[in-house]
Amino acid sequence: MTPVLSDRPRENDPALWCMGIAAAFFLIVLHRIGIPSKMMFDEIHYLPAARRLIDLTARLNPEHPLLAKQLIAWSMQLVGDTPFGWRLPSALLGALGLWGMMRALWWASLSRTATVLFGLLLATDFIWFMMSRIALLDMAMGGFMALAVWQWALAWRNPSGKVNRARLHLALTGLFLGLSLGAKWNGALLLPLPGLLFALNRWEALKGRRYGLLWSAKGMGPVPGVSLTEAALWLGALPLVAYFATFLPAFFYQKDPLTVGRLIEWQQYMLQLQDSVKKPHTYMSVWWQWMANIRPIWFLYENIDGAQRGVLMLGNPFTMLAGLPALLFCAWDGLKGKRLHLLVFAAYALLVGFWAINGKPVQFYYHYMLASCFLIAALALVLAEWWDLGLRWPAKATLVLASGLFLGFYPILSAGELPRKDSFRDYTWLDSWK
C-alpha cells in the first residue's frame, strides 16, 4: 500500500482503537480454542509434522516449508501437546496480523475511519477468525505478511523523518516477507511488490535524472536517503535469506538431513509434491466459488466433547459480497489517480487471478484468505470515503450486518454446543454450504 508522501496525518492516529480491536479479537479467538479436543481437518497433517520437528527423527509433510510447523512445535514444548498448545500460534499471529493490517491501512491512507472500519470488518469476516483458531499453516503466512505490509507502509510514510528509521522498517519488511514465505507459499505473489513499487516510485521521482536510478538516494522518493540498490538488499535479498533460514531445523534430521547443496533441490521437490495432489476432495472448490462465497469447508461436524459441534469455514455472507462492488469502486478511483485504491484492487486481482490460472487441481476456500483481506480493505476504503462525504448510513449498516452475522454464526464458527444433530440446517442457507 503506497501512500502519498507529501501527506501528513490530518486525523488522530487510531492506535488505541487498533490495539483494542486486536486485543478483543484475541480474547474471542481464545474462547473455546481447545475444542474440539482432537485434531480437525488438516491438523492431521501438520501436528504429526510438528512433533517430528521436536524429535527431529524424520521429515513429514515435506510439501510445505517448515516455519509454521516449527511454531506449533515450539508451542507444544512451551505450553503442552494439547489442543490449546496446537492452536495458540495461530491465535497469536491472527491477533498480531489483525493489528498489522490495521496499522498498514492507517499509514497508507491516513484515514482514521477506514482504519477502524477495516479492523472491525476483518475481525468479523469469519475467515480471519476461523483461521486464527486452527493449527494450519495459513495464519502464520497471513500474520507475517500483515506485519510486512505494516512495516512497508511505515517505511514509505516515515513519520519520524529519519533515514535510519525508514531503513529499519524496510529491513523488517524484508524479514517478515521471508518469514511469511517460510510458513506457506500462498503469499509468494506479493513478495516482489514492495521492491517493484520502490523502483517505480524512484523512476518517477528522478524524472530527468534517471541515469542515477540505482544509486541516487538523497531527497528522492519513495524513501529519501535509501537508494534502489540498498532497497534491493532489504526487499530482495533479505527475504530470501530469511526464507532459507527457516529450513535450519531440517539440517538436523536424524534421517536424510538437509544440506546446503540440496537446498534448491528441496524447493523443486516441494513444488513437485504441490502439483502431485490430484485426488478429488469433498470440499475442493475454485476461485469463482470463493468470490461468490458458495463453497465453504466443514472443518468439523460431529458429537464431541459432550455435545454436537461444528466448525464451518465460511466467509461472512454480507461482507464477502459487499466487498466485490467496493473493489470496482477502488479500481475506478485508482484510474482517477488514487494509487492506494488501485493497489488494493490490483493485489486482490493478482491473488485471485493466480488461482484462476493455476494448474493445481485441488484447491480450497482457505486459499482465498489473503485475497479476502484486500477485499475487506476495499470495502473499508469506499465506506470511509462516503463517511467523509457525509453519507454515513452505509458504514453503519455494514457494521451492524457484519457484526450481527458474526454473532449469529458464532456457534458454528467456534465449535459451540448445538441443540440438535441436524443443527447445521440452521446455518447452511444454500445447498452448497451443506
Side-chain angles (χ1 to χ4, degrees), residues 327-381:
L327 282 164
L328 297 179
F329 277 112
C330 280
W332 178 250
D333 285 343
L335 293 175
K336 294 190 295 183
K338 294 186 177 180
R339 291 191 173 187
L340 174 59
H341 294 66
L342 183 60
L343 183 57
V344 167
F345 171 80
Y348 176 86
L350 180 68
L351 290 168
V352 174
F354 168 76
W355 289 106
I357 64 175
N358 191 327
K360 188 180 174 84
V362 180
Q363 302 175 17
F364 296 97
Y365 184 57
Y366 56 75
H367 291 146
Y368 191 55
M369 184 189 79
L370 203 54
S372 69
C373 295
F374 291 95
L375 177 136
I376 296 298
L379 181 58
L381 286 169

Side-chain angles (χ1 to χ4, degrees), residues 387-401:
W387 182 281
D388 292 340
L389 292 172
L391 188 63
R392 298 189 170 186
W393 70 262
K396 294 178 180 179
T398 296
L399 285 176
V400 169
L401 287 169

